[in-house]
Amino acid sequence: MANSVGSLESKSKGFGATQRSDLWWLQPAATFAALGLFVVYATVAAFLAPGPVTWSPNEAASSALDSHTYLSPFYSPAWLFSLGNSIGFPYPVFAILWIPLGFRMTCYFARRTYYRGIMGDPAACAVAEFASRNYKGESKFPFILQNLHRYFLYFAIMLVVFHWFDIFHAFRSVDAAGNHEFYIGIGSIVLFADALFLTLYVFSCHSIRHLLGGGSKCFTCKDGTEKATHKTWGLVTKLNAYHGLFFWLSLFAVGFADFYVRVLVGHLE
Ligand code: FES
């Protein structure tokens, strides 16, 4: 957030003042556009269809009990949506959306990204911030809520499981006799990409890295448990180096998967 150079600039010349001559504004502008676009799309999409958006590849499938083949990831798992519906949750899709929303909003990488790209606090190094003030860290309301991230992680892991379960439906079809058979279409691949990138994003999380290795006292001990802990921690650490990339890939994949299913069912016509 605040930095001394940015604070000095802002006091003297206001937001965005800097002596930098490079294209420092490009990254925050691109972030603003990408995050803004996703938030607008997700909000409109959720209000457009508060119920699950599904599509089946053939008529026979739509008459089967588990008829849905492609389920928009915005509504996964469908049973949570039904629960929200049954208890009269206004716009039951939000019975699900609070999980990815809370997880992403409190993500360490996302915080840095939207503090810079949306709040301009500061937009880049050595650039005057939007509002000069004494930054108290994330120890005071509302920023203290960012500490909920480690708890959102548990729900996000469940979401990963549900997304993979939906893949199971995306790769099978039902023939006229009601038999299930292997099926692969563009939608199957699109939903697979969503589940894969979500998995990489969640399992490269800083909190999961701490969860798996943070409590370890001795990584070099011969003890079997410590060794195993070190191995899993090392694996997550390797993934963690690409966490930012996975953030963007999974965001794009979930948005595109929802868009794709909606196009198939004619929701966006
Ligand atoms: Fe980004 Fe946990 S730090 S998801």
Side-chain angles (χ1 to χ4, degrees):
M1 303 269 284
N3 69 46
S4 56
V5 180
S7 297
L8 283 176
E9 293 277 15
S10 99
K11 273 175 195 150
S12 58
K13 294 183 194 135
F15 176 55
T18 184
Q19 291 180 0
R20 286 178 63 170
S21 55
D22 60 336
L23 297 177
W24 63 266
W25 50 267
L26 206 55
Q27 196 178 357
T31 301
F32 182 86
L35 285 181
L37 197 68
F38 182 82
V39 169
V40 170
Y41 173 80
T43 308
V44 171
F47 280 101
L48 206 62
V53 176
T54 62
W55 181 83
S56 297
N58 59 44
E59 285 300 313
S62 62
S63 63
L65 257 185
D66 49 355
S67 60
H68 69 267
T69 299
Y70 296 164
L71 167 68
S72 158
F74 277 22
Y75 303 88
S76 175
W79 62 264
L80 196 55
F81 160 83
S82 308
L83 188 71
N85 212 2
S86 65
I87 59 173
F89 204 80
Y91 272 85
V93 61
F94 290 105
I96 295 164
L97 286 188
W98 66 270
I99 301 175
L101 186 71
F103 186 60
R104 284 186 185 271
M105 284 286 290
T106 57
C107 162
Y108 290 81
F109 172 79
R111 288 184 222 175
R112 191 194 71 169
T113 305
Y114 66 79
Y115 285 168
R116 289 184 180 179
I118 294 184
M119 294 156 70
D121 208 11
C125 290
V127 174
E129 53 192 336
F130 187 62
S132 180
R133 58 183 168 264
N134 287 334
Y135 176 53
K136 301 265 187 330
E138 288 167 342
S139 58
K140 294 260 187 296
F141 186 80
F143 294 112
I144 195 168
L145 295 178
Q146 304 283 31
N147 292 301
L148 291 175
H149 185 66
R150 70 198 76 160
Y151 303 109
F152 278 118
L153 171 68
Y154 299 116
F155 292 100
I157 292 173
M158 283 194 265
L159 217 52
V160 169
V161 175
F162 294 132
H163 277 226
W164 280 110
F165 184 72
D166 291 336
I167 294 302
F168 173 70
H169 288 289
F171 280 91
R172 72 174 183 170
S173 184
V174 184
D175 65 16
N179 301 315
H180 292 171
E181 51 189 39
F182 180 73
Y183 170 85
I184 185 161
I186 296 174
S188 322
I189 297 165
V190 167
L191 290 174
F192 178 81
D194 162 60
L196 178 68
F197 290 135
L198 179 68
T199 307
L200 290 170
Y201 173 52
V202 171
F203 284 90
S204 61
C205 169
H206 296 264
S207 292
I208 215 167
R209 186 166 165 261
H210 175 75
L211 199 68
L212 294 176
S216 218
K217 300 264 186 288
C218 173
F219 279 157
T220 52
C221 293
K222 295 274 181 266
D223 174 72
T225 322
E226 292 286 355
K227 254 188 170 172
T229 307
H230 189 214
K231 265 198 176 151
T232 44
W233 175 84
L235 188 67
V236 174
T237 299
K238 278 187 189 143
L239 281 180
N240 182 258
Y242 302 96
H243 188 60
L245 176 68
F246 296 144
F247 171 86
W248 286 114
L249 285 175
S250 62
L251 195 73
F252 175 77
V254 73
F256 184 75
D258 177 78
F259 176 79
Y260 185 79
V261 179
R262 280 174 204 272
V263 167
L264 288 179
V265 293
H267 247 243
L268 299 175
E269 284 172 3

